[in-house]
Amino acid sequence: MKRALFSIIIPTLNEEKFLPRLLDSLVAQSDKNFEVIVVDGSSRDKTVTVAKKYTAKLPSLKIIQVKKPSLPLQRNLGAKAAKGDWFVFV
């Protein structure tokens, strides 16, 4: 029986201080049956740079950048890019 894949969708805007804690937690998970999608709304800090540092630790990590910050838009774009059976919005 195939296990369900989870898609963890993270809309971000200026989260460079908080994103590492979340991504470190995902790296530490023993069950790796998930993908991570960070959808950034044109952060003015180093959020995207921080996220990119996790590509080796989270091979399923995708980073999407949008020009206009909009939580509903960012969630929808993340869901559209997701391959999982279940979506988790953080």
Side-chain angles (χ1 to χ4, degrees), residues 26-45:
L26 294 173
V27 167
Q29 296 301 308
S30 58
D31 187 342
K32 302 287 187 190
N33 195 35
F34 59 86
E35 66 176 341
V36 180
I37 302 169
V38 173
V39 186
D40 187 71
S42 293
S43 292
R44 295 181 182 195
D45 64 2

Side-chain angles (χ1 to χ4, degrees), residues 2-90:
K2 181 185 164 197
R3 291 179 38 208
L5 174 69
F6 287 86
S7 296
I8 301 169
I9 301 164
I10 309 167
T12 59
L13 181 63
N14 301 323
E15 304 289 346
E16 76 173 297
K17 293 181 183 178
F18 305 104
L19 189 60
R21 189 171 188 177
L22 172 58
L23 295 178
D24 284 338
S25 176
L26 294 173
V27 167
Q29 296 301 308
S30 58
D31 187 342
K32 302 287 187 190
N33 195 35
F34 59 86
E35 66 176 341
V36 180
I37 302 169
V38 173
V39 186
D40 187 71
S42 293
S43 292
R44 295 181 182 195
D45 64 2
K46 296 178 182 165
T47 298
V48 173
T49 303
V50 168
K52 286 179 180 178
K53 290 180 182 178
Y54 283 83
T55 55
K57 296 177 187 176
L58 292 167
S60 65
L61 176 65
K62 296 177 193 167
I63 302 168
I64 301 170
Q65 293 177 269
V66 296
K67 293 182 180 180
K68 179 181 175 188
S70 167
L71 185 57
L73 173 66
Q74 290 170 250
R75 285 179 180 160
N76 288 336
L77 288 174
K80 188 179 275 190
K83 295 180 180 161
D85 302 306
W86 294 90
F87 296 170
V88 178
F89 296 96
V90 181

